[in-house]
Coordinates of all heavy atoms in Angstrom, one line a residue:
M959 N 0.8 -1.2 0.0 CA 0.0 0.0 0.0 C 0.9 1.2 0.0 O 1.9 1.3 0.7 CB -0.9 0.0 1.2 CG -1.5 1.4 1.5 SD -2.6 1.3 2.9 CE -4.0 1.0 2.0
A960 N 0.5 2.2 -0.7 CA 1.2 3.5 -0.8 C 0.6 4.4 0.3 O -0.4 5.0 0.2 CB 1.0 4.1 -2.1
Y961 N 1.4 4.4 1.4 CA 0.9 5.1 2.6 C 0.8 6.7 2.4 O 0.0 7.3 3.0 CB 1.7 4.8 3.8 CG 1.5 3.3 4.2 CD1 2.4 2.4 3.8 CD2 0.4 2.9 4.9 CE1 2.2 1.0 4.1 CE2 0.2 1.6 5.2 CZ 1.1 0.7 4.8 OH 0.9 -0.7 5.1
K962 N 1.7 7.2 1.6 CA 1.7 8.6 1.3 C 0.4 9.0 0.5 O -0.2 10.0 0.8 CB 2.9 9.0 0.5 CG 4.2 9.0 1.3 CD 5.1 10.2 0.9 CE 6.4 10.1 1.7 NZ 6.3 10.9 2.9
E963 N 0.0 8.1 -0.4 CA -1.2 8.3 -1.1 C -2.4 8.3 -0.2 O -3.4 9.1 -0.4 CB -1.4 7.3 -2.3 CG -0.3 7.5 -3.4 CD -0.4 8.9 -4.0 OE1 -1.5 9.4 -4.3 OE2 0.6 9.5 -4.2
L964 N -2.4 7.3 0.7 CA -3.5 7.2 1.7 C -3.6 8.5 2.5 O -4.6 9.1 2.7 CB -3.3 6.0 2.6 CG -4.3 6.0 3.8 CD1 -5.8 5.8 3.3 CD2 -3.9 4.8 4.7
G965 N -2.4 9.0 2.9 CA -2.3 10.2 3.7 C -2.9 11.4 2.9 O -3.6 12.3 3.5
K966 N -2.6 11.5 1.6 CA -3.1 12.5 0.8 C -4.6 12.5 0.7 O -5.3 13.5 0.7 CB -2.5 12.5 -0.6 CG -1.0 12.9 -0.7 CD -0.5 12.7 -2.1 CE 1.0 13.0 -2.2 NZ 1.5 12.8 -3.5
R967 N -5.1 11.3 0.6 CA -6.6 11.1 0.5 C -7.3 11.5 1.8 O -8.3 12.2 1.8 CB -7.0 9.7 0.1 CG -6.7 9.4 -1.4 CD -7.3 8.1 -1.9 NE -6.6 7.0 -1.3 CZ -5.4 6.5 -1.7 NH1 -4.9 7.0 -2.8 NH2 -4.9 5.4 -1.1
I968 N -6.7 11.2 2.9 CA -7.2 11.6 4.2 C -7.2 13.1 4.3 O -8.2 13.7 4.7 CB -6.4 10.9 5.4 CG1 -6.6 9.4 5.4 CG2 -6.8 11.6 6.7 CD1 -5.8 8.7 6.4
Y969 N -6.0 13.7 4.0 CA -5.9 15.2 4.0 C -6.9 15.8 3.1 O -7.6 16.8 3.6 CB -4.5 15.5 3.6 CG -4.3 17.0 3.4 CD1 -4.0 17.8 4.5 CD2 -4.4 17.7 2.2 CE1 -3.9 19.2 4.4 CE2 -4.2 19.0 2.0 CZ -4.0 19.8 3.1 OH -3.8 21.1 3.0
K970 N -7.1 15.4 1.9 CA -8.0 16.0 0.9 C -9.4 15.9 1.5 O -10.2 16.9 1.4 CB -7.9 15.3 -0.4 CG -8.8 15.9 -1.5 CD -8.6 15.1 -2.8 CE -9.6 15.6 -3.8 NZ -9.5 14.8 -5.1
A971 N -9.8 14.7 2.0 CA -11.2 14.5 2.5 C -11.4 15.4 3.7 O -12.5 16.0 3.8 CB -11.4 13.1 2.8
R972 N -10.4 15.5 4.5 CA -10.5 16.4 5.7 C -10.7 17.9 5.3 O -11.6 18.6 5.8 CB -9.3 16.2 6.6 CG -9.3 17.0 7.9 CD -8.2 16.7 8.8 NE -6.9 17.1 8.2 CZ -6.4 18.3 8.2 NH1 -7.1 19.3 8.6 NH2 -5.2 18.5 7.7
K973 N -9.9 18.3 4.4 CA -10.0 19.7 3.9 C -11.3 20.0 3.2 O -11.9 21.1 3.3 CB -8.8 20.0 3.0 CG -7.5 20.2 3.7 CD -7.6 21.3 4.7 CE -6.3 21.7 5.3 NZ -6.4 22.8 6.3
N974 N -11.8 19.0 2.5 CA -13.1 19.1 1.8 C -14.2 19.4 2.8 O -15.2 20.0 2.5 CB -13.5 17.9 0.9 CG -12.7 17.9 -0.4 OD1 -12.1 18.9 -0.8 ND2 -12.6 16.7 -1.0
L975 N -14.1 18.9 4.0 CA -15.1 19.1 5.1 C -14.7 20.3 6.0 O -15.4 20.6 6.9 CB -15.2 17.8 5.9 CG -15.7 16.6 5.3 CD1 -15.6 15.4 6.2 CD2 -17.2 16.8 4.8
D976 N -13.6 21.0 5.6 CA -13.2 22.1 6.4 C -13.0 21.7 7.9 O -13.4 22.4 8.8 CB -14.1 23.3 6.3 CG -13.5 24.6 6.7 OD1 -12.3 24.7 6.6 OD2 -14.3 25.5 7.2
M977 N -12.3 20.6 8.1 CA -12.1 20.0 9.4 C -10.7 20.1 9.8 O -9.8 19.9 8.9 CB -12.5 18.5 9.3 CG -12.5 17.7 10.6 SD -12.9 16.0 10.4 CE -14.5 16.0 9.8
T978 N -10.4 20.4 11.0 CA -9.0 20.4 11.5 C -8.5 19.0 11.9 O -9.3 18.1 12.0 CB -8.9 21.3 12.8 OG1 -9.6 20.7 13.9 CG2 -9.5 22.7 12.6
M979 N -7.2 18.9 12.0 CA -6.7 17.6 12.4 C -7.2 17.2 13.8 O -7.5 16.1 14.1 CB -5.1 17.7 12.5 CG -4.5 17.5 11.1 SD -2.7 17.4 11.2 CE -2.2 19.0 10.6
K980 N -7.3 18.2 14.7 CA -7.8 18.0 16.0 C -9.3 17.4 16.0 O -9.6 16.5 16.7 CB -7.8 19.3 16.9 CG -8.2 19.0 18.3 CD -8.1 20.3 19.1 CE -8.5 19.9 20.6 NZ -8.3 21.0 21.5
E981 N -10.1 18.0 15.1 CA -11.5 17.6 15.0 C -11.6 16.1 14.5 O -12.3 15.3 15.0 CB -12.3 18.5 14.1 CG -12.5 19.9 14.7 CD -13.1 20.9 13.7 OE1 -12.8 20.8 12.5 OE2 -13.8 21.8 14.1
L982 N -10.7 15.9 13.5 CA -10.7 14.5 12.9 C -10.2 13.5 14.0 O -10.8 12.5 14.2 CB -9.8 14.4 11.7 CG -9.7 13.0 11.1 CD1 -11.0 12.4 10.7 CD2 -8.8 13.1 9.8
G983 N -9.2 13.9 14.7 CA -8.6 13.1 15.8 C -9.7 12.7 16.8 O -9.8 11.6 17.3
E984 N -10.5 13.7 17.2 CA -11.6 13.5 18.2 C -12.6 12.5 17.6 O -13.1 11.6 18.4 CB -12.3 14.8 18.5 CG -11.4 15.7 19.4 CD -11.9 17.1 19.5 OE1 -13.0 17.4 19.0 OE2 -11.3 17.9 20.3
K985 N -12.9 12.5 16.3 CA -13.9 11.6 15.7 C -13.3 10.2 15.7 O -14.1 9.2 15.8 CB -14.3 12.1 14.4 CG -15.1 13.4 14.4 CD -15.4 13.8 13.0 CE -16.3 15.1 13.0 NZ -17.7 14.9 13.3
V986 N -12.0 10.0 15.4 CA -11.5 8.7 15.3 C -10.6 8.2 16.5 O -9.9 7.2 16.4 CB -10.6 8.6 14.0 CG1 -11.5 8.8 12.8 CG2 -9.4 9.5 14.0
K987 N -10.7 9.0 17.6 CA -10.1 8.7 18.8 C -8.5 8.6 18.7 O -7.9 7.7 19.2 CB -10.6 7.4 19.4 CG -12.1 7.5 19.7 CD -12.7 6.1 20.1 CE -14.2 6.1 20.1 NZ -14.8 5.9 18.8
L988 N -8.0 9.6 18.0 CA -6.5 9.7 17.9 C -6.1 11.1 18.2 O -6.9 12.0 17.9 CB -6.1 9.3 16.5 CG -6.3 7.9 16.0 CD1 -6.0 7.7 14.5 CD2 -5.4 6.9 16.8
H989 N -4.9 11.3 18.6 CA -4.3 12.7 18.9 C -4.1 13.3 17.5 O -3.8 12.7 16.5 CB -3.0 12.6 19.7 CG -2.6 13.9 20.2 ND1 -1.8 14.7 19.4 CD2 -2.8 14.5 21.4 CE1 -1.6 15.8 20.1 NE2 -2.2 15.7 21.3
E990 N -4.2 14.6 17.5 CA -4.0 15.3 16.2 C -2.5 15.1 15.6 O -2.4 15.1 14.4 CB -4.3 16.8 16.3 CG -3.4 17.6 17.2 CD -3.8 19.1 17.4 OE1 -3.8 19.8 16.4 OE2 -4.3 19.4 18.5
S991 N -1.6 14.9 16.5 CA -0.2 14.6 16.0 C -0.2 13.3 15.3 O 0.6 13.1 14.3 CB 0.8 14.6 17.1 OG 0.5 13.6 18.1
T992 N -1.0 12.3 15.7 CA -1.1 11.0 15.0 C -1.8 11.2 13.6 O -1.4 10.6 12.6 CB -1.9 10.0 15.9 OG1 -1.2 10.0 17.1 CG2 -1.9 8.6 15.2
I993 N -2.8 12.1 13.6 CA -3.5 12.4 12.3 C -2.5 13.0 11.3 O -2.4 12.6 10.2 CB -4.7 13.4 12.5 CG1 -5.7 12.8 13.4 CG2 -5.2 13.8 11.2 CD1 -6.4 11.6 12.9
K994 N -1.6 13.9 11.8 CA -0.6 14.5 11.0 C 0.4 13.4 10.4 O 0.7 13.4 9.3 CB 0.2 15.5 11.8 CG 1.3 16.2 11.0 CD 2.0 17.2 11.8 CE 3.2 17.8 11.0 NZ 3.0 19.1 10.6
R995 N 0.7 12.4 11.3 CA 1.6 11.3 10.8 C 0.9 10.5 9.8 O 1.5 10.0 8.8 CB 2.0 10.5 12.0 CG 3.0 11.3 13.0 CD 3.5 10.5 14.2 NE 4.1 9.3 13.7 CZ 4.0 8.1 14.3 NH1 3.2 7.9 15.3 NH2 4.7 7.1 13.9
Y996 N -0.4 10.2 9.9 CA -1.1 9.5 8.9 C -1.1 10.3 7.6 O -0.8 9.7 6.5 CB -2.6 9.3 9.3 CG -2.8 8.0 10.1 CD1 -3.2 8.1 11.4 CD2 -2.7 6.7 9.5 CE1 -3.4 6.9 12.2 CE2 -2.9 5.6 10.2 CZ -3.3 5.7 11.6 OH -3.5 4.5 12.3
E997 N -1.4 11.6 7.7 CA -1.5 12.4 6.5 C -0.1 12.5 5.8 O 0.0 12.6 4.6 CB -2.0 13.8 6.8 CG -3.5 13.8 7.1 CD -4.1 15.1 7.4 OE1 -3.4 16.2 7.3 OE2 -5.3 15.2 7.6
N998 N 1.0 12.4 6.6 CA 2.3 12.5 6.0 C 2.8 11.1 5.5 O 3.9 11.1 5.0 CB 3.3 13.1 7.0 CG 3.1 14.5 7.3 OD1 2.5 15.2 6.5 ND2 3.5 15.0 8.4
G999 N 2.0 10.1 5.7 CA 2.4 8.8 5.3 C 3.4 8.1 6.1 O 4.1 7.2 5.7
E1000 N 3.6 8.6 7.4 CA 4.6 8.0 8.3 C 4.1 6.8 9.0 O 4.9 6.0 9.5 CB 4.9 9.1 9.3 CG 5.6 10.3 8.7 CD 5.8 11.4 9.7 OE1 5.6 11.2 10.9 OE2 6.0 12.6 9.3
I1001 N 2.8 6.6 9.1 CA 2.3 5.4 9.8 C 2.0 4.3 8.8 O 1.3 4.5 7.8 CB 1.0 5.8 10.6 CG1 1.4 6.7 11.7 CG2 0.4 4.5 11.2 CD1 0.3 7.1 12.6
K1002 N 2.6 3.2 9.0 CA 2.6 2.1 8.0 C 1.6 1.0 8.2 O 1.6 0.0 7.6 CB 4.0 1.5 7.9 CG 5.1 2.5 7.6 CD 5.0 3.1 6.3 CE 6.2 4.0 6.0 NZ 5.9 5.1 5.2
T1003 N 0.7 1.2 9.2 CA -0.3 0.2 9.5 C -1.7 0.9 9.7 O -1.7 2.0 10.2 CB 0.0 -0.6 10.8 OG1 0.1 0.3 11.9 CG2 1.2 -1.4 10.7
L1004 N -2.7 0.3 9.2 CA -4.0 0.9 9.3 C -5.0 -0.3 9.3 O -5.2 -0.9 8.2 CB -4.3 1.9 8.2 CG -5.6 2.7 8.3 CD1 -5.7 3.5 9.6 CD2 -5.8 3.6 7.2
D1005 N -5.6 -0.7 10.4 CA -6.5 -1.8 10.4 C -7.8 -1.5 9.9 O -8.2 -0.3 9.7 CB -6.6 -2.5 11.8 CG -7.3 -1.6 12.9 OD1 -8.2 -0.9 12.5 OD2 -6.9 -1.7 14.0
I1006 N -8.6 -2.5 9.6 CA -9.9 -2.3 8.9 C -10.9 -1.4 9.8 O -11.6 -0.6 9.2 CB -10.5 -3.6 8.5 CG1 -11.7 -3.4 7.6 CG2 -10.9 -4.4 9.7 CD1 -11.4 -2.9 6.2
E1007 N -10.8 -1.6 11.1 CA -11.7 -0.8 11.9 C -11.3 0.7 11.9 O -12.2 1.5 11.9 CB -11.7 -1.4 13.4 CG -12.3 -2.7 13.5 CD -13.7 -2.8 12.9 OE1 -14.6 -1.9 13.2 OE2 -14.0 -3.8 12.2
K1008 N -10.1 1.0 11.8 CA -9.6 2.4 11.8 C -10.0 3.0 10.4 O -10.4 4.1 10.3 CB -8.2 2.5 12.1 CG -7.7 3.9 12.5 CD -8.5 4.5 13.6 CE -8.2 4.0 15.0 NZ -8.9 4.8 16.0
I1009 N -9.9 2.2 9.4 CA -10.3 2.6 8.0 C -11.8 3.0 8.0 O -12.2 4.0 7.5 CB -10.0 1.5 7.0 CG1 -8.5 1.4 6.8 CG2 -10.7 1.9 5.6 CD1 -8.1 0.1 6.0
K1010 N -12.6 2.2 8.7 CA -14.0 2.4 8.8 C -14.3 3.7 9.6 O -15.1 4.5 9.2 CB -14.7 1.3 9.5 CG -14.9 0.0 8.7 CD -15.5 -1.1 9.5 CE -15.6 -2.4 8.8 NZ -16.2 -3.4 9.6
E1011 N -13.5 3.9 10.7 CA -13.7 5.2 11.5 C -13.3 6.4 10.6 O -14.0 7.4 10.7 CB -12.8 5.1 12.7 CG -13.3 4.1 13.8 CD -12.4 4.0 15.0 OE1 -11.9 5.1 15.4 OE2 -12.3 2.9 15.5
F1012 N -12.2 6.3 9.9 CA -11.8 7.4 9.1 C -12.8 7.7 8.0 O -13.2 8.9 7.8 CB -10.4 7.2 8.4 CG -9.2 7.6 9.2 CD1 -8.4 6.7 9.8 CD2 -8.9 8.9 9.3 CE1 -7.3 7.1 10.6 CE2 -7.8 9.4 10.1 CZ -7.0 8.4 10.7
S1013 N -13.3 6.7 7.4 CA -14.3 6.8 6.3 C -15.6 7.5 6.8 O -16.1 8.4 6.2 CB -14.6 5.4 5.7 OG -13.5 4.9 5.1
K1014 N -16.1 7.0 8.0 CA -17.3 7.6 8.5 C -17.1 9.1 8.9 O -17.9 9.9 8.6 CB -17.7 6.8 9.8 CG -19.0 7.3 10.4 CD -19.4 6.4 11.5 CE -20.7 6.9 12.2 NZ -21.1 6.1 13.3
A1015 N -15.9 9.4 9.5 CA -15.6 10.7 10.0 C -15.5 11.7 8.8 O -15.8 12.8 8.8 CB -14.4 10.8 10.8
L1016 N -14.9 11.1 7.7 CA -14.6 12.0 6.5 C -15.7 11.9 5.5 O -15.6 12.6 4.4 CB -13.2 11.5 5.9 CG -12.0 11.8 6.8 CD1 -10.8 11.0 6.3 CD2 -11.8 13.2 7.0
K1017 N -16.7 11.1 5.7 CA -17.8 11.0 4.8 C -17.4 10.6 3.4 O -17.9 11.1 2.4 CB -18.6 12.3 4.8 CG -19.2 12.7 6.1 CD -20.0 14.0 6.1 CE -20.4 14.2 7.5 NZ -21.0 15.5 7.7
V1018 N -16.5 9.6 3.3 CA -16.1 9.0 2.1 C -16.2 7.5 2.2 O -16.1 7.0 3.4 CB -14.6 9.4 1.7 CG1 -14.5 10.9 1.4 CG2 -13.6 9.0 2.7
S1019 N -16.3 6.8 1.1 CA -16.3 5.3 1.2 C -14.9 4.8 1.6 O -13.9 5.4 1.2 CB -16.8 4.7 -0.1 OG -15.8 4.8 -1.1
P1020 N -14.9 3.6 2.3 CA -13.6 3.0 2.5 C -12.8 2.7 1.2 O -11.6 2.8 1.2 CB -13.9 1.7 3.3 CG -15.3 2.0 3.9 CD -16.0 2.9 2.9
I1021 N -13.6 2.3 0.2 CA -12.9 2.0 -1.1 C -12.2 3.2 -1.6 O -11.1 3.1 -2.1 CB -14.0 1.5 -2.1 CG1 -14.5 0.1 -1.6 CG2 -13.5 1.4 -3.5 CD1 -15.7 -0.4 -2.3
N1022 N -12.9 4.4 -1.6 CA -12.3 5.6 -2.1 C -11.1 6.0 -1.2 O -10.0 6.4 -1.7 CB -13.3 6.7 -2.1 CG -12.8 8.0 -2.6 OD1 -12.2 8.8 -1.8 ND2 -12.9 8.2 -3.9
L1023 N -11.2 5.9 0.1 CA -10.2 6.2 1.0 C -8.9 5.4 0.8 O -7.8 5.9 0.8 CB -10.6 6.1 2.5 CG -9.7 6.7 3.5 CD1 -9.6 8.2 3.4 CD2 -10.2 6.3 4.9
M1024 N -9.1 4.1 0.5 CA -8.0 3.2 0.2 C -7.4 3.4 -1.2 O -6.4 2.8 -1.6 CB -8.4 1.8 0.4 CG -8.8 1.5 1.9 SD -7.5 1.9 3.0 CE -6.2 0.7 2.5
G1025 N -8.1 4.2 -2.1 CA -7.6 4.4 -3.4 C -8.0 3.3 -4.4 O -7.3 3.1 -5.4
W1026 N -9.0 2.5 -4.1 CA -9.4 1.4 -4.9 C -10.4 1.8 -6.0 O -10.8 1.0 -6.8 CB -9.9 0.2 -4.1 CG -8.9 -0.4 -3.2 CD1 -7.5 -0.3 -3.3 CD2 -9.1 -1.0 -1.9 NE1 -6.9 -1.0 -2.3 CE2 -7.8 -1.4 -1.4 CE3 -10.3 -1.4 -1.2 CZ2 -7.7 -2.1 -0.2 CZ3 -10.1 -2.0 0.0 CH2 -8.8 -2.4 0.5
E1027 N -10.8 3.1 -5.9 CA -11.7 3.6 -7.0 C -11.2 5.0 -7.2 O -10.6 5.7 -6.4 CB -13.1 3.6 -6.6 CG -13.5 4.5 -5.5 CD -15.0 4.5 -5.1 OE1 -15.7 3.6 -5.6 OE2 -15.4 5.3 -4.3
E1028 N -11.5 5.5 -8.4 CA -11.1 6.9 -8.7 C -12.1 7.9 -8.1 O -13.2 7.6 -7.8 CB -11.2 7.1 -10.3 CG -10.2 6.2 -11.0 CD -8.7 6.5 -10.6 OE1 -8.4 7.7 -10.5 OE2 -8.0 5.6 -10.5
D1029 N -11.5 9.1 -7.8 CA -12.3 10.2 -7.4 C -13.3 10.6 -8.5 O -13.1 10.4 -9.6 CB -11.5 11.4 -7.0 CG -10.6 11.2 -5.8 OD1 -11.0 10.3 -4.9 OD2 -9.6 11.8 -5.6
D1030 N -14.4 11.3 -8.1 CA -15.4 11.7 -9.0 C -15.1 13.0 -9.7 O -15.9 13.8 -10.1 CB -16.8 11.8 -8.4 CG -17.3 10.4 -8.0 OD1 -16.8 9.4 -8.6 OD2 -18.1 10.3 -7.0
E1031 N -13.8 13.4 -9.7 CA -13.4 14.8 -10.2 C -13.3 14.7 -11.7 O -12.9 13.8 -12.3 CB -12.1 15.2 -9.6 CG -12.3 15.5 -8.1 CD -11.0 16.0 -7.5 OE1 -10.1 16.5 -8.3 OE2 -10.8 15.8 -6.3

């Protein structure tokens, strides 16, 4: 998995919602510094439950978040 690409998708989805890292962290039960590490591609593990939490908080499908489908742009 390309963790930098996943981080970019998390960042883009968060910005589309005008959400701060702290707000996203509160929704997925992670510290904002951990959100930053995800967005920077520094964290190399992401379990299915955390993917679901990110997807729900960011209002995107898990498939889109993982990059298994193209954006609708």
Side-chain angles (χ1 to χ4, degrees):
M959 163 177 269
Y961 295 98
K962 288 216 182 266
E963 291 303 314
L964 172 63
K966 287 179 186 177
R967 286 189 291 277
I968 292 172
Y969 173 82
K970 181 179 174 184
R972 181 175 64 77
K973 286 299 186 179
N974 283 343
L975 294 175
D976 198 28
M977 185 184 296
T978 66
M979 281 188 251
K980 183 175 182 174
E981 290 168 332
L982 177 56
E984 289 170 356
K985 290 178 181 284
V986 298
K987 301 173 191 85
L988 294 171
H989 191 274
E990 65 185 293
S991 64
T992 306
I993 299 298
K994 180 178 174 110
R995 291 180 59 221
Y996 272 112
E997 290 185 358
N998 289 338
E1000 296 171 15
I1001 295 181
K1002 306 294 187 212
T1003 59
L1004 187 59
D1005 68 36
I1006 190 70
E1007 292 306 315
K1008 200 51 80 175
I1009 292 168
K1010 289 178 185 178
E1011 289 179 37
F1012 272 107
S1013 296
K1014 183 177 179 182
L1016 295 169
K1017 301 180 181 173
V1018 296
S1019 74
I1021 292 170
N1022 181 273
L1023 191 62
M1024 296 303 295
W1026 296 334
E1027 71 181 7
E1028 296 297 319
D1029 290 336
D1030 293 335
E1031 292 181 25

